[in-house]
Amino acid sequence: MICDVCKSREAVIYQPHTGRNLCKECFINDVRERVKREAEKQGITKVNKVLLAVSGGKDSLTLADALASFVDPKRLIAFNIVEGIQGYNREDQAKKLNKYLSDLGIELISTSFKAEVGFTLDEMVSSAKGKGLNVSACTFCGGFRRKLINNAGREVKADLVATGHNLDDEAQTIVINLLRGDVKRIIRVGDVPVKLSDKFVLRVKPLRKVYEWETTMYAYYKGFEFQEVECPYISSRPTLRARVRDLLYALEAMRPGSLLNIVEEFDRVAEEFRRKSEMKELPSCKICGEPTSYGREICKNCELLIKSGLLNYQNLPMS
């Protein structure tokens, strides 16, 4: 079967949401073009420095490679965090990540939860269980990752922070926030970044129109050896996100293109809502000084450490 785009090379992949058969070269170019369109919309091509949040997985490798195809790699700096999960954060994967980025001409800086927070993720989860808290590892991990990524963005004076969230991630986030009724958080998910604190480095998601299966195939065709093992905490305790993911995958299988439709329609709604809404600056946590949610005196991260017995602090209300 011949590629539907170039009409000359043999097709190796079928794209359900477009109904096209593509050769390897046209598939890679198609992903890069979508990433470039989002990057231009989000301002990546106009700024001096972008911090890339990378894990060594397929999404972050695709992010780095696709951006480096049209952005000067000297304007990109990668940031990696070792969470501290037994058997998951492997040294060999870190070395491969460093080599891939070095070959692209992108500098890599690294840190860990242990170095920045004082505890590994395993230690946080263990302490929380010891206190009888029903808190998932993802709650700890997501909050502290966001905090450290933002801190790194400020330290290197990045104009933007780019994450490897793909289309599947974005659609899941939209549905989760709808289920929770969190309108203020919902409108911050759209394609145009919203800055609600001077302490935040604007976050952008160049892969938000690229399916997860596409980042997998992109990484495969580029010859990247990426970490394929799923985080053990996800399989041991499925989160709401995991359940929403399964639901959306079933919908996508029945109607290819459904996830893309969800995200694109949401972008239109979010843009209209932002025009009519006044978004006030976020308050600062009284403990760490970082931005926190409206109506909170301390951020969720500090609250979790206090409740887990890892941080001593008195006389502050907690939700």
Side-chain angles (χ1 to χ4, degrees), residues 32-33 35-52 62-77 101 103-107 159-160 162 204 206 218:
R32 286 179 171 177
E33 281 301 313
V35 173
K36 185 177 181 180
R37 283 198 296 271
E38 287 302 303
E40 290 174 343
K41 187 188 305 181
Q42 296 166 358
I44 290 178
T45 56
K46 298 178 182 178
V47 299
N48 293 321
K49 186 180 293 185
V50 181
L51 184 80
L52 310 183
T62 299
L63 172 69
D65 188 81
L67 285 180
S69 70
F70 60 87
V71 175
D72 184 351
K74 292 184 177 62
R75 293 166 51 202
L76 306 175
I77 181 168
L101 294 171
D103 289 345
L104 290 171
I106 300 174
E107 178 188 357
D159 301 288
L160 297 169
V204 293
Y218 185 103

Side-chain angles (χ1 to χ4, degrees), residues 8-175:
S8 60
R9 291 182 290 265
E10 182 179 355
V12 296
I13 197 165
Y14 175 66
Q15 208 173 43
H17 66 284
T18 64
R20 299 185 305 181
N21 293 289
L22 303 175
C23 65
K24 182 176 78 172
E25 291 81 0
C26 288
F27 170 73
I28 289 175
N29 288 336
D30 177 66
V31 170
R32 286 179 171 177
E33 281 301 313
R34 276 180 282 158
V35 173
K36 185 177 181 180
R37 283 198 296 271
E38 287 302 303
E40 290 174 343
K41 187 188 305 181
Q42 296 166 358
I44 290 178
T45 56
K46 298 178 182 178
V47 299
N48 293 321
K49 186 180 293 185
V50 181
L51 184 80
L52 310 183
V54 298
S55 65
K58 62 189 183 313
D59 296 326
S60 55
L61 290 171
T62 299
L63 172 69
D65 188 81
L67 285 180
S69 70
F70 60 87
V71 175
D72 184 351
K74 292 184 177 62
R75 293 166 51 202
L76 306 175
I77 181 168
F79 178 61
N80 175 245
I81 302 170
V82 176
E83 298 91 350
I85 304 171
Q86 184 65 35
Y88 183 67
N89 297 130
R90 291 160 35 197
E91 186 177 343
D92 62 324
Q93 288 293 337
K95 290 180 179 178
K96 288 177 182 176
L97 173 62
N98 191 28
K99 183 179 187 309
Y100 291 143
L101 294 171
S102 178
D103 289 345
L104 290 171
I106 300 174
E107 178 188 357
L108 173 66
I109 57 176
S110 301
T111 191
S112 67
F113 278 180
K114 186 72 171 180
E116 301 292 338
V117 184
F119 312 97
T120 67
L121 181 59
D122 285 347
E123 289 170 342
M124 295 183 209
V125 173
S126 177
S127 187
K129 285 182 178 178
K131 291 290 184 178
L133 297 182
N134 185 30
V135 180
S136 72
C138 296
T139 300
F140 280 102
C141 189
F144 282 105
R145 279 186 60 83
R146 286 190 292 272
K147 180 177 181 177
L148 297 189
I149 290 169
N150 188 65
N151 287 349
R154 288 198 310 241
E155 288 174 7
V156 302
K157 295 180 171 53
D159 301 288
L160 297 169
V161 167
T163 66
H165 291 91
N166 56 50
L167 174 62
D168 302 38
D169 298 323
E170 199 77 341
Q172 291 160 23
T173 297
I174 291 168
V175 173

